[in-house]
Amino acid sequence: MGQTLNEIWTHLHDNAEISWEEFKTTEYIVEQVTPYNPNKIETFDDMPGVVVEIGSGKPVVGVRADMDALWQEVGGVQQANHSCGHDAHMTTVIGVFKQLAEKNLNGTVRFIFQPAEEKGNGALAMVEKGVADDLDYLFGMHLRPKQELSSGEFAPAIIHGSAKFIKGSITSADTHGARPHLGINAIEVAADMIHHIRQSHFDPLIPHSIKMTELHAGGKNPNIIPGKAHFALDLRAQQNELMDAMSEQVERIARQLESLHNISIELETGAHMAAAVYNEEATALLDEGIQAVDADSRRAPITTTGGDDFHFYTLKRPQVKATMLAIGCDLGPGLHHPDMTFNFDAIPKAVDILSEAVEKALSQGGERA
């Protein structure tokens, strides 16, 4: 298999790139797959990302990995950092490719290395490139924190919730600190927004949350009451219908505060990831893959409040039967923590599980034909 999985992961981890800048990562993946002479290696002029194909004919089974890292402070230094495990996802899919490239396949396997999952719009860009138009099945994967799965455990579906990121701006005029009655303090308006959001109540049986994750106001002069502020909201809901209700509530709060203070509040949705509606047939195939490799490691599908733009493939192309492998790997302290670590021993087994599932999906497609 050339480089070992650990060597591949080490390179990807040490050369992380943020969303829409994964060009060197793209080049590295091309280098990894080229010696196997796949039928197709496709890159794009206007964005990073790679699509690789082996085999031929129907069915067409996809395997997707996300490529981007986060920009965060690590050890006092701001840098690209794979604290969400996308380096492990790419390593897994490269491993599946190398394992299947040497087999006679009853159909086509399409490996999709997708940029910008963290921005919530990478999958949509790949859909626009046509990579899902003729897919029958699609398998993804994600490392899971130890709060969800123990090390060495695998689940055949991740039931993600919906996520939405809203950027906002509050616009009034600055005023002198000695004359607060002459203006509106944008920081206080933001505080009012937080208060009203926290006083909004939705069905407690459905996991959900709304929180302000950014707030920028004021400058170098503490005697100026800032009239402008910029903020961001992170919304999570386990069901798409609840996300709609929460979004409407945020809009109502903004309009009410706008009227109360006679100011302008603008809201803009930066990204919106829909809640998962997983496919039972694809999940059953992945379940069979887990049991074929290690039946004792199999766990039931897990529900998580996290989001993933993977689900846009099925929302935009409803014919695609998709699911995601949940990989238990002793991940801690948590996803997106700058010091996140995980047990790499889970990756070779994830490669075997996904390879089994892909071959079972190819066989299933052949039986239908």
Side-chain angles (χ1 to χ4, degrees):
M1 291 181 68
Q3 285 186 303
T4 66
L5 293 175
N6 195 275
E7 288 172 334
I8 292 168
W9 175 83
T10 298
H11 175 90
L12 292 167
H13 184 78
D14 291 345
N15 294 274
E17 295 178 296
I18 60 174
S19 302
W20 296 120
E21 296 183 15
E22 309 98 321
F23 292 104
K24 291 183 179 179
T25 303
T26 297
E27 293 174 2
Y28 179 76
I29 293 168
V30 170
E31 291 173 4
Q32 287 294 313
V33 301
T34 297
Y36 292 81
N37 297 313
N39 297 339
K40 175 181 179 180
I41 302 176
E42 181 181 11
T43 56
F44 309 99
D45 294 334
D46 57 344
M47 58 180 258
V50 192
V51 177
V52 186
E53 284 187 8
I54 56 176
S56 62
K58 297 286 285 182
V60 182
V61 180
V63 187
R64 173 266 203 176
D66 32 19
M67 303 166 62
D68 52 331
L70 293 159
W71 186 258
Q72 58 188 168
E73 184 176 318
V74 183
V77 179
Q78 289 286 335
Q79 64 183 65
N81 184 41
H82 273 302
S83 58
C84 203
H86 296 182
D87 47 357
H89 302 167
M90 289 184 283
T91 301
T92 301
V93 175
I94 291 171
V96 174
F97 165 81
K98 292 185 176 185
Q99 196 166 109
L100 295 180
E102 299 177 344
K103 296 189 176 185
N104 293 321
L105 303 172
N106 297 314
T108 301
V109 184
R110 180 174 299 152
F111 299 89
I112 302 167
F113 295 90
Q114 174 212 302
E117 186 278 330
E118 297 293 352
K119 293 291 187 181
N121 51 13
L124 288 170
M126 294 300 265
V127 169
E128 291 174 1
K129 296 294 185 183
V131 305
D133 288 353
D134 59 345
L135 284 180
D136 295 291
Y137 297 94
L138 179 63
F139 297 106
M141 77 293 305
H142 209 298
L143 306 185
R144 303 318 304 163
K146 53 190 172 184
Q147 295 90 342
E148 294 182 0
L149 281 180
S150 297
S151 189
E153 295 180 340
F154 298 87
I158 306 173
I159 308 173
H160 282 107
S162 177
K164 180 179 284 190
F165 312 126
I166 298 176
K167 292 281 189 178
S169 61
I170 300 167
T171 303
S172 182
D174 292 349
T175 189
H176 196 289
R179 302 173 183 85
H181 62 292
L182 297 179
I184 300 297
N185 190 331
I187 295 175
E188 292 178 354
V189 176
D192 286 345
M193 176 167 282
I194 293 171
H195 171 77
H196 288 293
I197 285 172
R198 295 183 67 179
Q199 294 301 311
S200 300
H201 299 292
F202 304 94
D203 189 343
L205 298 179
I206 304 173
H208 62 273
S209 68
I210 313 175
K211 55 274 180 192
M212 189 173 288
T213 53
E214 287 183 34
L215 177 60
H216 304 281
K220 296 182 179 180
N221 299 98
N223 63 338
I224 296 177
I225 297 173
K228 295 183 179 181
H230 300 278
F231 62 89
L233 301 173
D234 178 297
L235 286 69
R236 307 278 170 163
Q238 206 58 44
Q239 295 181 2
N240 292 316
E241 295 78 9
L242 180 54
M243 175 59 76
D244 292 340
M246 291 164 54
S247 301
E248 292 168 4
Q249 177 69 349
V250 169
E251 181 71 28
R252 279 193 294 269
I253 291 170
R255 301 289 77 81
Q256 290 168 356
L257 290 175
E258 203 173 43
S259 176
L260 176 65
H261 296 293
N262 193 27
I263 56 172
S264 171
I265 300 178
E266 296 184 3
L267 301 176
E268 179 182 358
T269 298
H272 179 198
M273 290 175 279
V277 180
Y278 73 99
N279 178 266
E280 292 185 1
E281 185 178 337
T283 300
L285 290 169
L286 191 50
D287 197 12
E288 291 176 21
I290 296 171
Q291 296 190 60
V293 173
D294 183 1
D296 291 337
S297 71
R298 190 266 181 192
R299 297 294 179 269
I302 63 170
T303 298
T304 178
T305 54
D308 198 298
D309 77 349
F310 176 84
H311 306 293
F312 278 124
Y313 290 103
T314 50
L315 285 170
K316 296 299 182 180
R317 299 293 182 268
Q319 88 283 353
V320 179
K321 299 174 181 178
T323 191
M324 299 184 79
L325 176 68
I327 303 172
C329 53
D330 198 31
L331 187 153
L335 292 167
H336 289 201
H337 191 287
D339 300 320
M340 184 274 279
T341 61
F342 69 98
N343 182 356
F344 189 83
D345 291 344
I347 300 306
K349 189 174 286 187
V351 170
D352 291 340
I353 290 169
L354 283 163
S355 297
E356 285 278 347
V358 168
E359 290 195 87
K360 289 179 184 297
L362 293 173
S363 174
Q364 187 89 345
E367 291 174 3
R368 288 203 328 272

